[in-house]
Amino acid sequence: MFRYFTAGESHGPGLTGIVEGVPAGLELTEDYIEQHLIRRQKGYGRGGRMAFEKDHANIQSGVRFSKTTGAPIAFLMTNRAYEKDDSNWPIVMAKDGERGDIERITLPRPGHADLVGVQKYKFDDIRPVIERSSARETAMRVACCSVARKFLKELGIEIGGHVIHLGSIGYENWNAVRTIADPLADQGAESIYKEADESDVRCLDPELSDQMREEIKVKRKEGTSLGGIYEIIVTGLPAGLGSYVHWDRKLDGLLAQAIMSTQAMKGVEIGLGFDAGKTHGHNVHDEIIHENGSFKRRTNRLGGIEGGMTTGMPIILRGVMKPIPTMIKPLKTADLDTKEEQDTRYERSDVCALPRAVVVAESVIAPVLANAILEKFGGDSMEEILERYHHEE
Ligand SMILES: Cc1cc2nc3c(=O)[nH]c(=O)nc-3n(C[C@H](O)[C@H](O)[C@H](O)COP(=O)(O)O)c2cc1C
């Protein structure tokens, strides 16, 4: 089974990742990983870091002549901010010596891990909390999860996401999204992300894209920030991944955990999600039909999962991201030392990271799906797995 670990701080020398449980014989290159890393870095609403931070995951082990060997895959990714000639970070983040006169951070930022982090770990400086809770870590998550994503692709399973709401701008309803996204999903979910990537806010509708961009411009001027809602679609799945027999094997629960473990996510929906509670059953449940030799659903309002198992229809999952907590216009906070009320300090930050978060969400669900596949069709090598997988079909 796929497992992965990440380590590293936002302004330390770099990030490390280890992916374990990858079958042998999967074609994998740094270029494949890099395309998703680059996607994660692109999007309207970015702050200053983008200008110098070009991510590259260096494969250290587990791959030989572009094929996985079955051994753990280790990645190294440097933080260019640390490496720049005039960088102060090697001093601030030094692993030896004393802190000396290096500034302590004592103003916790609302909406961040800052205050609870120092309370929990008994720090007198917020710096270590900022460094590890930062979404910089998602760069390594994308690298690690791209291995699972490539594995799925070999089986014809594709993942693609797009933005459906950014601040107050978005599609009118479920059907409006279906009209634009489903014809693309019919060609495989990667068509969705490829089309969405044409827009710097990752929205499939050009008119909405313009409005979203404008919304970001306005909110940037106001010194505030924005979040929104994205939709991830997975196509090419067989029926019966996951299980209804035990709570920790239900695929919808596992997918939700993966999304909720990502920085700034505040909710997950499958299919109609919360809207399903606002209408009656005939507007929600998908009728079963038998067509061209197999069972299907006439609609897909339950988002491809029933009883914790894939139905064979595409998975439709949505996630909501809260607005970025670091904002130019300050909020009030209390100083750790003096306990006095103060304005938060602004450090370079994105105004809206939603378009980038789409790529993170696409990535983090890949190991969950890959494990559901391995549970059912598992083997040590791609050859073995592909044979079992296609035998089942
Ligand atoms: C791709 C991505 C980029 C982010 N960029 C920023 C940022 O530039 N500034 C910021 O304050 N928060 C940013 N966040 C959100 C914070 O990391 C997150 O809100 C914080 O760590 C607290 O965790 P929580 O929101 O999950 O409770 C980003 C999140 C993601 C997914």
Side-chain angles (χ1 to χ4, degrees), residues 14-34:
L15 301 169
T16 310
I18 296 183
V19 193
E20 208 279 313
V22 185
L26 172 68
E27 202 177 295
L28 189 72
T29 59
E30 288 179 354
D31 285 351
Y32 176 81
I33 312 269
E34 190 169 84

Side-chain angles (χ1 to χ4, degrees), residues 218-226 323-324 326-329 350-351:
V218 169
K219 297 300 169 203
R220 191 199 298 268
K221 267 203 195 117
E222 291 174 9
T224 190
S225 62
L226 287 163
I324 294 280
T326 308
M327 296 174 286
I328 296 175
K329 195 167 103 196
D350 297 350
V351 174

Side-chain angles (χ1 to χ4, degrees), residues 111-112 133 135 263-264 321-322 324-326 349-350 353 356:
H112 272 285
S133 63
Q263 289 83 341
M321 180 178 194
K322 72 185 186 187
I324 294 280
T326 308
S349 172
D350 297 350
R356 303 173 50 222

Side-chain angles (χ1 to χ4, degrees), residues 19-72:
V19 193
E20 208 279 313
V22 185
L26 172 68
E27 202 177 295
L28 189 72
T29 59
E30 288 179 354
D31 285 351
Y32 176 81
I33 312 269
E34 190 169 84
Q35 60 169 306
H36 292 300
L37 289 174
I38 290 172
R39 292 182 60 232
R40 192 202 73 98
Q41 292 193 281
K42 281 190 183 160
Y44 194 77
R46 290 225 60 184
R49 189 163 195 161
M50 166 98 178
F52 52 82
E53 199 81 66
K54 290 265 182 298
D55 287 329
H56 178 81
N58 203 305
I59 298 176
Q60 301 286 301
S61 69
V63 180
R64 187 160 187 252
F65 307 129
S66 306
K67 292 241 164 120
T68 57
T69 62

Side-chain angles (χ1 to χ4, degrees), residues 170-209:
Y171 294 91
E172 237 165 75
N173 52 34
W174 169 261
N175 285 335
V177 182
R178 299 282 58 80
T179 306
I180 197 158
D182 288 358
L184 288 165
D186 287 345
Q187 301 158 44
E190 291 202 347
S191 323
I192 294 178
Y193 90 62
K194 283 176 186 157
E195 184 77 24
D197 281 6
E198 296 294 315
S199 151
D200 55 6
V201 285
R202 288 213 158 83
C203 177
L204 293 171
D205 185 308
E207 229 169 85
L208 285 178
S209 290

